Amino acid sequence: MAAIVQQGMARDQRSTMPLRNLKLALRFALREMRGGMSGFLIFLTCIALGVAAIGGVNSVAQAITAGVAAEGQALLGGDIRFELNQREATESEATFLNGLGTLAVSANMRSMARLEDGSDQALVEAKAVDGAYPLYGELVTEPAQSRQDLFGEKDGVFGAAAPDLLFERLGLQPGDRIKLGNATFELRAKLTGEPDAISDGFGFAPRLLLSMEGLRASGLVQPGSLVEHAYKIRLPAGTSDARLKEIREEATKKFPEAGWSIRTRSNAAPALSSNIERFSQFLTLVGLTALVVGGVGVANAVGAYLDGKRGVIATFKSLGASGGFVFTLYLAQIMIIAAIGIALGLVLAALMPFAASAALSSLIPVPTEGGIYPGALALAAVFGVLVTLAFAILPLGRARDVPATALFREAGIGGRGLPRWIYLATTLGIAALLAALSVWFATDRRIAAIFVGAALFAFIVLRAVGLLVQGLARRAPRVRSTALRLALGNIHRPGALTPSVVLSLGLGLTLLVTLALIDGDLRRQISGSLPERAPNFFFVDIQAADVDAFSTLVGTLSPEGKLMRVPMLRGRIMALDGVDVQQVKVPPEGAWVLRGDRGITYSATVPENATLSEGEWWPQDYAGEPLVSFSAEEARQIGLKIGDTVTVNVLGRNVTARIASLREVKWESMGINFVMVFSPNTFAGAPHAWLATLTARDAPPAEEARILNQVTRAYPAVTTVRVKDALDIVNRLVEQLGTAIRAAASVALIASVLVLSGALAAGNRARIHDAVVLKTLGATRKTLIAAFSLEYMLIGLATAVFALAAGGVAAWFVVARIMTLPSSFSPAVAAGTVAVALVLTVGIGLIGTWRVLGHKAAPVLRNL
């Protein structure tokens, strides 16, 4: 070995070429690695896990995006789609649309489907289609039927199709009949495939597919009814995306007050795409957390590996090797091992889109294109390389600067003080680059920047917590228990495990505590306090001619209940202070106000569940320029103030109103709330329906069912939404989403457990010497086990306390400040966190302790 090293050094001295040094270092690195990669299993697993999480999540997101783009025509139902609310296209608008290509018209609205005998009813999402539907894709029913057989009129009864859910809710079979509005429909088939379902948005009720003629016969479409008319157009083959843009601009210019929403095949499902982007960003950040936590394992593994190589490093230095040569040699080894871990992670990431195409097909009706996505994989690989370098350079720098005599004399390479400035500067530069890439490639850079800042803060605080625990242990009063005295000494001695354990386990536990508390608060809102404050029923599409009689009926059915009613229209914000909303940049939290149609109303007085925060309300007999009262929070988010103007399109007419006041709105009450409340003269003479809520606090389920049945019988055109049913649906969605998020976050916890295992394994070498010496001096196995258990228990408890504090603050900020909901701390989460921390630290620690205590004394004592 010495001869080989001397020959190598001689050649190295004769050459001044850095490339020669690099080749020589690489040669020795590969030669040393022939003995295997013992000690680097956790290193490999952490890197592979983090890279797989980042690459896989982004690959799946790109696969879904590619699937949406590839199937954009079928998902949208055409090449371009025009949507109008509460009105049909005018003659001139219809002529323009017909001139573009093949036109298919559909209408969507919520209504109540009833059994023929009126004994039961269910809310449905009614969708009426014409003979041209579908322009793309295939309508699939069971059994398959022709359009005439499926929807046509037979003996005064129209046909319809519905999914299994509606059949189950009403106890029906194909061939049974239901009533919708004033018409009777025969359910002739089960609906199993609706190509453009996703472009119509999420619904709280099962679909009921019928013909346009059947919808007209039902009498549901009245002036002011909440119905969406969609005009989907199939353009000539070969129409380019540039031509689609021209059509959109032409439609906007030719009909400036149409107020229609226009979507093209390239943006078939904007809400889904946006949600996929947000969710993939969250999961990417979780994956990055796992990777960064794994970086602590990298540092531990590199430190332990170099500690085991101290004799070899001393030999190199004694034979003339420079510190730079030693650094390059072991950096090459570390990067080779990291490359293997990254490659394993990339293989797993590349397979995820193929697995997702099967797993997600039952959850979202979107095709996923299985394939290799180089951009997502490259980003994950870059993150893997940067994390490895960021955590490996400092321990390598320490090994470079330790003299050979110290390596022969001391038990390890760890020393006091900081490495050379070049290593510190390089590490900080890599960390800054890692943070910059995380923010740059994020969909919401603000959230990504907050995450990066929080991660940096967590590292600093966790390091401080580790030092604090060591300081407290050092200053603890002398105790009589030998085991406890040994445990306290182990916590603060040089080279103690405390900083590594607190850092590795703290990040994963903090993330899980944060998510668990947020999930708990949302569940309490949906299933606890929210239903107590919310009304029992929403009644939609009450015709103006029926509103008084309707109120009388509800008052008779629920004498103790409280009925609130307001006029309701639908409007789309077109301009803010004269500036087109397409040119207005607003933060993500306020963008929803400008996206799509909003419910609007008018009132002569301040709404009951809102309070004025700025400005004044108009007089009851006000007859001047149109005025509007805006929700204060949303106004701040989109940059509006008293005196600004808002232009809304209602029923194909642009109306500009000046902001007279701002209101604090209690959205969490789930009562009747609107972003915009106009002065009554603004919509004088405009056709509209009414919206009402019924609050009956102590009404038992049987009374609610009676009210629902009687209202539906008397007013079949009124859509009745039972709030509890809607909350049950939302609760199930939150539960599914929470499960998915917790499963994703567990990746970070797994990385934490791996790093914890590595940190404890790295400390076993020193534990062997301690155990042998203590046993030689008379300590029993029972005493040593108790000492090690107490040490791990105290460190785990300190980590759990930090995780609870940090996670509690983070959850409070998200729930109280971002979601503006009541936040509370869950004792169950606290108990679970403490239990997990103690089980992990004590359990993994004791597994290593059994091995430590099994070593024979003689070999160890000879080397002391």
Side-chain angles (χ1 to χ4, degrees), residues 62-402:
Q62 289 189 23
I64 294 175
T65 302
V68 171
E71 300 293 330
Q73 292 170 318
L75 295 176
L76 185 69
D79 291 292
I80 191 167
R81 179 183 191 268
F82 296 79
E83 182 182 305
L84 292 169
N85 275 285
Q86 291 188 286
R87 73 177 186 91
E88 296 185 67
T90 63
E91 185 177 348
S92 59
E93 291 168 346
T95 301
F96 170 76
L97 297 176
N98 269 304
L100 297 175
T102 305
L103 177 66
V105 182
S106 62
N108 290 46
M109 68 183 305
R110 290 189 180 95
S111 190
M112 303 299 295
R114 318 182 310 279
L115 296 180
E116 278 195 295
D117 60 5
S119 60
D120 201 358
Q121 61 283 311
L123 181 68
V124 295
E125 300 274 349
K127 177 177 178 178
V129 298
D130 65 2
Y133 177 85
L135 296 175
Y136 291 99
E138 182 182 2
L139 175 64
V140 183
T141 61
E142 184 183 326
Q145 297 185 30
S146 67
R147 186 60 45 82
Q148 178 60 34
D149 291 339
L150 186 61
F151 297 128
E153 183 182 7
K154 298 177 182 178
D155 301 324
V157 177
F158 290 92
D164 279 328
L165 183 58
L166 183 61
F167 285 90
E168 292 170 4
R169 284 188 179 178
L170 294 179
L172 299 172
Q173 297 292 330
D176 290 344
R177 295 183 177 185
I178 59 172
K179 295 185 73 70
L180 187 73
N182 298 320
T184 300
F185 291 84
E186 181 183 358
L187 294 176
R188 295 173 183 166
K190 292 186 176 181
L191 180 62
T192 57
E194 183 186 355
D196 58 344
I198 198 166
S199 66
D200 291 327
F202 171 77
F204 281 99
R207 172 76 74 206
L208 180 65
L209 197 64
L210 59 150
S211 65
M212 291 293 289
E213 293 78 12
L215 182 63
R216 294 191 188 99
S218 71
L220 292 176
V221 181
Q222 299 290 331
S225 295
L226 297 180
V227 56
E228 299 173 352
H229 294 277
Y231 299 84
K232 303 169 186 179
I233 301 167
R234 180 170 187 152
L235 299 173
T239 301
S240 65
D241 288 342
R243 174 55 184 155
L244 287 173
K245 185 177 180 182
E246 291 175 3
I247 293 174
R248 186 171 189 156
E249 292 174 350
E250 182 184 355
T252 303
K253 184 177 180 180
K254 193 169 184 178
F255 303 97
E257 295 196 358
W260 44 30
S261 169
I262 306 174
R263 270 190 273 159
T264 65
R265 63 195 178 203
S266 60
N267 190 30
L272 175 67
S273 300
S274 177
N275 289 332
I276 291 296
E277 285 180 359
R278 291 192 188 98
F279 199 58
S280 65
Q281 177 182 333
F282 169 78
L283 294 182
T284 298
L285 293 178
V286 170
L288 188 57
T289 301
L291 196 54
V292 171
V293 171
V296 180
V298 170
N300 291 338
V302 172
Y305 178 70
L306 293 176
D307 184 56
K309 290 289 183 180
R310 68 194 187 284
V312 177
I313 296 173
T315 302
F316 276 133
K317 289 194 172 185
S318 298
L319 295 174
S322 65
F325 178 83
V326 171
F327 178 87
T328 305
L329 188 158
Y330 287 103
L331 178 62
Q333 285 192 25
I334 298 304
M335 294 313 297
I336 290 172
I337 296 170
I340 296 172
I342 291 171
L344 291 174
L346 292 179
V347 170
L348 293 175
L351 295 175
M352 285 188 189
F354 298 96
S357 62
L360 296 178
S361 60
S362 60
L363 299 177
I364 53 175
V366 176
T368 55
E369 290 201 346
I372 306 299
Y373 296 89
L377 299 180
L379 180 64
V382 168
F383 278 139
V385 170
L386 291 179
V387 167
T388 302
L389 288 173
F391 286 91
I393 285 177
L394 287 183
L396 288 169
R398 287 186 182 277
R400 179 203 192 283
D401 290 335
V402 177

Side-chain angles (χ1 to χ4, degrees), residues 13-103:
Q13 290 171 355
R14 290 194 298 270
S15 175
T16 58
M17 296 178 62
L19 183 60
R20 179 68 61 85
N21 288 336
L22 180 61
K23 287 183 177 179
L24 183 61
L26 186 60
R27 225 177 95 204
F28 278 108
L30 293 173
R31 182 167 296 183
E32 276 203 49
M33 291 179 68
R34 291 176 184 174
M37 293 181 289
S38 177
F40 280 98
L41 179 60
I42 291 173
F43 179 122
L44 282 170
T45 307
C46 287
I47 293 296
L49 189 66
V51 169
I54 295 174
V57 164
N58 284 283
S59 293
V60 171
Q62 289 189 23
I64 294 175
T65 302
V68 171
E71 300 293 330
Q73 292 170 318
L75 295 176
L76 185 69
D79 291 292
I80 191 167
R81 179 183 191 268
F82 296 79
E83 182 182 305
L84 292 169
N85 275 285
Q86 291 188 286
R87 73 177 186 91
E88 296 185 67
T90 63
E91 185 177 348
S92 59
E93 291 168 346
T95 301
F96 170 76
L97 297 176
N98 269 304
L100 297 175
T102 305
L103 177 66

Side-chain angles (χ1 to χ4, degrees), residues 479-539:
V479 293
R480 297 183 62 183
S481 170
T482 302
L484 182 56
R485 193 162 59 248
L486 287 173
L488 292 172
N490 285 337
I491 288 175
H492 68 78
R493 70 177 183 177
L497 298 174
T498 307
S500 295
V501 173
V502 171
L503 188 59
S504 60
L505 192 59
L507 285 174
L509 280 180
T510 300
L511 180 61
L512 282 182
V513 167
T514 302
L515 295 175
L517 290 175
I518 292 173
D519 180 63
D521 283 333
L522 290 178
R523 288 174 182 275
R524 276 189 291 275
Q525 283 296 305
I526 293 171
S527 60
S529 58
L530 191 57
E532 293 175 3
R533 299 191 304 269
N536 299 65
F537 292 100
F538 274 87
F539 302 103

Side-chain angles (χ1 to χ4, degrees), residues 570-577 579-582 592-598 600 630 638 640 645-650 654-655 675-676 678:
R570 300 288 294 181
R572 176 185 297 272
I573 298 179
M574 307 296 291
L576 300 176
D577 234 11
V579 180
D580 192 310
V581 292
Q582 301 295 330
W592 67 273
V593 179
L594 307 181
R595 187 172 52 241
D597 288 75
R598 301 264 70 79
I600 58 178
F630 216 92
I638 61 180
L640 293 177
T645 60
V646 178
T647 301
V648 295
N649 185 279
V650 180
N654 284 347
V655 176
V675 172
M676 295 172 286
F678 289 83

Side-chain angles (χ1 to χ4, degrees), residues 548-572:
D548 291 332
F550 176 87
S551 301
T552 301
L553 173 64
V554 173
T556 303
L557 295 173
S558 179
E560 304 299 324
K562 180 181 180 181
L563 182 72
M564 288 185 61
R565 63 185 197 183
V566 295
M568 181 177 177
L569 301 92
R570 300 288 294 181
R572 176 185 297 272

